[in-house]
């Protein structure tokens, strides 16, 4: 969603392919400064037209001296607008302005101690030694003409430089990740001390602009909303109602792999509670028949994405005149699925992004595409949605299909629904549901031996997963109390027929993903 550059200040982030690019955007917005992410090759004329108060060059996986490596026009550095190069972005700046970049004899990945040799403007107020997060295999040969060295490490002689006269700054580490202890202060120094940001952007501004953009995009047409009942799609439904009113219809599809009692709860909370028109479709058999015998997780995702679109097409024909499909796609969905802004690596196919068929028959409307989860919740509050909707844990579009490892059957779905409901109930009763970011049960494709009464059993295994995260790009497992885990396991084994063992997942992201498939 594009921002009106005249409405308030903005920062432009040029994406060179880093998996952390969206985190830079997040950190900027946390300081109430609006920003947009664009491809690294955004024309300088377009940058000038947009009139940003500053430009940030992201990191990236390549080497600037390789043939075909992404770079920046030298004109960018003569715009008179402050520019901050981060990691690869710093190397691009050095490469273009005469500093030179070479392969390093010793790569640096992870935590490192940086010596601040001259605070300058970017490191103002910081200590002489800072813990940062490195991720690079090249080193800058020397400080470009006109620049001053500001930071160094034992392995890399140039990890910080600046030319205050031209407003150019570079750092060879990632201030946007939490591992860089004073990264927030560095970014604030750039935003407020160097770029002169006022910090006056609010989510209310995004709401007004999102409504205006939807109205302009849809015109007098009709739009259907893919409603799951989760935070994202609920916010989209409310946003569409605000923007185009009765010309939007929220379609809720029971795909047979929802949580226990999900369908009735969604209809009650949104249609009965908020007055949002909902068309509820029971497509359980249609989905389950398509998923029969399929075990590969990518195939599951693509099947569910395809059948979703087929269902929407069928319903759109009945509604007549529908030309748009709205989805709750978020930034993390995009960056982990396809390279939409820069040459970043694909991690997985997301059912709302990479898994869609080429011919939709609809034009997509994705008003949350450049927001993070907590920003979506802020937008929901601006729209007046109740907290019980906004605080719900994320639920994947493929639903329990990616939490049932192996074949999907109605019996296996019912088993997992019961186990998952027990886990979530105990989390809520103990007050832990609001403390963790996402929690769920997984049905494993293995059986284990057990003893119930005087009999030997050979039944299914349930894995419990709970994670703590700020942005869902990285996550740590939740240190739930042993007493709580024991109570959940005891209830599942005793109340869910077919389960005789419960385990707890204690793996972070990375190396694992949050979902099991």
């Amino acid at each position: 969603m594009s921002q009106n550059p005249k409405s308030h200040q903005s920062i432009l982030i040029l994406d060179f392919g880093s998996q952390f690019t969206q985190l830079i955007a997040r950190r900027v917005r946390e300081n109430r400064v609006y920003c947009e992410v664009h491809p690294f090759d955004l024309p300088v004329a377009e940058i000038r037209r947009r009139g940003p108060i500053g430009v940030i060059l992201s990191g990236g996986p390549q080497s600037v001296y390789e043939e075909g490596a992404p770079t920046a026009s030298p004109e960018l550095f003569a715009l008179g607008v402050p520019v901050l190069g981060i990691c690869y972005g710093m190397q691009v700046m050095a490469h273009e302005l005469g500093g030179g970049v070479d392969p390093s004899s010793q790569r640096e990945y992870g935590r490192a101690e940086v010596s601040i040799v001259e605070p300058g403007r970017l490191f103002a107020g910081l200590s002489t030694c800072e813990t940062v997060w490195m991720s690079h295999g090249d080193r800058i040969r020397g400080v470009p003409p006109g620049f001053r060295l500001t930071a160094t490490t034992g392995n890399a002689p140039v990890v910080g430089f600046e030319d205050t006269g031209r407003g150019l700054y570079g750092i060879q580490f990632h201030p946007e990740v939490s591992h860089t202890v004073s990264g927030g202060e560095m970014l604030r120094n750039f935003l407020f001390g160097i770029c002169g940001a006022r910090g006056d952007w609010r989510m209310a501004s995004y709401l007004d602009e999102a409504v205006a953009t939807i109205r302009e995009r849809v015109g007098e047409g009709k739009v259907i909303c893919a409603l799951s009942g989760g935070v994202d799609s609920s916010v989209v439904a409310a946003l569409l109602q605000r923007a185009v009113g009765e010309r939007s219809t929220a379609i809720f599809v029971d795909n047979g792999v929802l949580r226990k009692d999900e369908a009735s709860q969604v209809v009650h909370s949104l249609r009965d509670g908020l007055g949002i028109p909902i068309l509820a479709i029971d497509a359980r058999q249609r989905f389950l028949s398509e998923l029969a015998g399929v075990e590969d997780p990518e195939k599951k995702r693509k099947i569910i994405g395809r059948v979703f679109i087929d269902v929407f097409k069928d319903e759109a024909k009945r509604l007549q005149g529908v030309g748009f499909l709205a989805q709750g796609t978020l930034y993390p969905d995009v960056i982990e699925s396809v390279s939409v802004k820069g040459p970043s690596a694909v991690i997985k196919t997301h059912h709302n992004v990479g898994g869609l068929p080429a011919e939709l028959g609809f034009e997509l409307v994705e008003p949350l595409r450049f927001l993070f989860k907590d920003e979506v919740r802020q937008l929901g509050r601006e729209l007046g949605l109740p907290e019980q909707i906004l605080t719900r844990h994320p639920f994947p579009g493929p639903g329990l299909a990616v939490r049932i490892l192996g074949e999907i059957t109605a019996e296996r779905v019912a088993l997992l629904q019961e186990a998952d409901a027990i886990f979530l109930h105990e989390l809520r009763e103990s007050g832990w549901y609001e403390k963790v970011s996402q929690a769920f049960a997984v049905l494993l494709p293995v059986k284990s031996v057990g003893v119930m009464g005087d009999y030997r059993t050979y039944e299914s295994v349930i894995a419990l997963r709970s994670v703590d995260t700020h942005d869902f790009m990285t996550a740590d497992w939740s240190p739930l109390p042993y007493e709580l885990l024991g109570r959940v396991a005891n209830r599942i084994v005793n109340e869910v027929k077919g389960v005789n063992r419960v385990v707890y997942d204690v793996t972070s992201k990375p190396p694992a993903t949050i979902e099991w498939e």
Side-chain angles (χ1 to χ4, degrees):
M1 181 171 297
S2 182
Q3 181 77 10
N4 179 358
K6 295 182 180 180
S7 61
H8 44 66
Q9 297 175 319
S10 66
I11 293 286
L12 293 188
I13 301 169
L14 302 187
D15 179 19
F16 286 89
S18 172
Q19 295 296 340
F20 297 136
T21 299
Q22 277 63 31
L23 290 182
I24 303 172
R26 174 185 177 74
R27 301 300 177 235
V28 173
R29 292 181 191 178
E30 284 174 350
N31 286 284
R32 293 180 172 175
V33 179
Y34 184 77
C35 65
E36 292 181 355
V37 177
H38 290 275
F40 68 90
D41 56 357
L42 184 70
V44 171
E46 179 62 17
I47 296 174
R48 185 183 293 110
R49 187 191 70 81
R50 289 173 175 271
I53 61 172
V55 176
I56 298 177
L57 311 182
S58 83
Q62 296 178 267
S63 295
V64 294
Y65 47 78
E66 292 177 349
E67 184 177 354
T71 188
S73 168
E75 296 177 57
L76 172 65
F77 305 114
L79 275 177
V81 175
V83 179
L84 171 62
I86 295 175
C87 200
Y88 183 87
M90 180 192 191
Q91 293 173 3
V92 166
M93 189 180 294
H95 183 68
E96 291 295 332
L97 299 179
V101 180
D102 297 316
S104 176
S105 59
Q106 183 173 346
R107 299 185 301 174
E108 286 190 304
Y109 293 98
R111 286 184 175 87
E113 298 300 317
V114 167
S115 296
I116 308 297
V117 298
E118 183 176 336
R121 300 188 68 184
L122 196 63
F123 300 136
L126 303 186
S127 66
T128 57
C129 184
E130 290 287 344
T131 300
V132 303
W133 186 262
M134 293 284 193
S135 181
H136 65 94
D138 295 326
R139 62 190 298 175
I140 294 173
R141 187 183 310 130
V143 177
F147 284 75
R148 293 180 301 175
L149 177 69
T150 57
T152 184
T153 69
N155 295 323
V158 182
V159 298
F161 58 44
E162 63 181 50
D163 181 340
T164 56
R166 288 184 288 178
L168 305 179
Y169 303 82
I171 47 178
Q172 187 60 74
F173 51 85
H174 291 276
E176 68 273 23
V177 302
S178 59
H179 305 295
T180 297
V181 176
S182 299
E185 286 84 346
M186 297 173 195
L187 287 174
R188 282 189 287 276
N189 282 342
F190 179 71
L191 295 173
F192 299 104
I194 295 170
C195 297
R198 294 189 297 266
D200 57 359
W201 185 74
R202 302 289 187 275
M203 188 54 67
S205 304
Y206 191 91
L207 171 57
D208 294 339
E209 290 155 12
V211 167
T213 301
I214 291 171
R215 286 173 179 166
E216 180 181 358
R217 177 83 186 281
V218 174
E220 295 302 315
K222 295 181 179 179
V223 55
I224 52 178
C225 170
L227 177 66
S228 70
V231 177
D232 308 332
S233 62
S234 297
V235 169
V236 170
L239 189 57
L240 290 173
Q241 188 181 42
R242 175 79 64 93
V244 298
E246 295 181 355
R247 288 185 288 113
S248 71
T249 301
I251 298 181
F252 175 75
V253 178
D254 186 347
N255 59 12
V257 285
L258 301 175
R259 286 169 289 204
K260 183 180 180 181
D261 300 327
E262 181 98 27
S264 60
Q265 291 171 1
V266 167
V267 172
H268 175 72
S269 63
L270 295 180
R271 183 169 68 189
D272 302 339
L274 295 175
I276 296 176
I278 297 176
L279 180 61
I281 308 299
D282 185 352
R284 288 176 291 180
Q285 290 305 315
R286 187 169 176 176
F287 279 88
L288 290 176
S289 63
E290 291 276 356
L291 289 166
V294 177
E295 297 187 5
D296 180 77
E298 283 292 284
K299 289 182 180 179
K300 291 179 186 177
R301 288 175 178 273
K302 291 185 177 182
I303 287 172
I304 290 174
R306 172 176 56 79
V307 177
F308 256 120
I309 295 301
D310 290 343
V311 171
F312 285 137
K313 285 182 177 179
D314 292 344
E315 297 308 317
K317 290 177 183 177
R318 297 186 182 94
L319 292 171
Q320 297 183 346
V322 174
F324 299 88
L325 167 63
Q327 294 184 152
T329 309
L330 304 190
Y331 243 163
D333 300 335
V334 174
I335 194 62
E336 289 193 344
S337 304
V338 288
S339 179
V340 296
K341 292 292 184 183
S344 48
V346 173
I347 295 176
K348 67 179 180 181
T349 296
H350 186 272
H351 80 285
N352 276 350
V353 187
L356 292 174
E359 297 298 327
L360 280 174
F362 304 116
E363 288 188 47
L364 277 181
V365 177
E366 297 177 310
L368 312 181
R369 189 177 179 85
F370 302 127
L371 296 183
F372 289 91
K373 179 67 72 172
D374 64 319
E375 293 177 322
V376 174
R377 290 192 171 100
Q378 293 175 32
L379 182 59
R381 292 184 180 97
E382 293 288 339
L383 286 161
L385 292 177
E387 285 298 313
Q388 63 262 33
I389 291 178
L390 298 177
T391 56
R392 291 186 69 185
H393 289 177
F395 189 63
L400 300 184
V402 291
R403 294 176 179 175
I404 297 174
L405 278 60
E407 185 180 4
I408 310 298
T409 65
E411 293 74 23
R412 298 191 80 205
V413 170
L415 186 152
L416 182 57
Q417 284 176 330
E418 293 297 328
D420 188 68
I422 289 172
F423 187 26
L424 297 184
H425 177 267
E426 290 296 334
L427 285 172
R428 288 191 175 96
E429 287 295 304
S430 62
W432 273 89
Y433 185 86
E434 292 78 14
K435 297 178 183 178
V436 302
S437 303
Q438 187 172 356
F440 53 90
V442 180
L443 178 59
L444 303 186
V446 297
K447 292 188 176 183
S448 71
V449 173
V451 177
M452 290 186 178
D454 295 326
Y455 297 94
R456 174 186 182 273
T457 61
Y458 189 56
E459 295 180 330
S460 296
V461 179
I462 289 287
L464 304 178
R465 177 78 156 146
S466 180
V467 298
D468 300 324
T469 179
H470 193 50
D471 48 42
F472 292 88
M473 299 292 284
T474 61
D476 290 322
W477 59 276
S478 306
L480 297 178
Y482 293 141
E483 296 81 3
L484 172 58
L485 290 172
R487 187 163 62 250
V488 172
N490 186 64
R491 282 196 59 193
I492 289 175
V493 169
N494 281 283
E495 299 176 30
V496 182
K497 187 176 180 180
V499 177
N500 68 355
R501 191 179 298 270
V502 176
V503 298
Y504 188 53
D505 183 348
V506 292
T507 318
S508 63
K509 174 189 178 182
T513 53
I514 293 177
E515 298 291 339
W516 273 54
E517 288 193 335

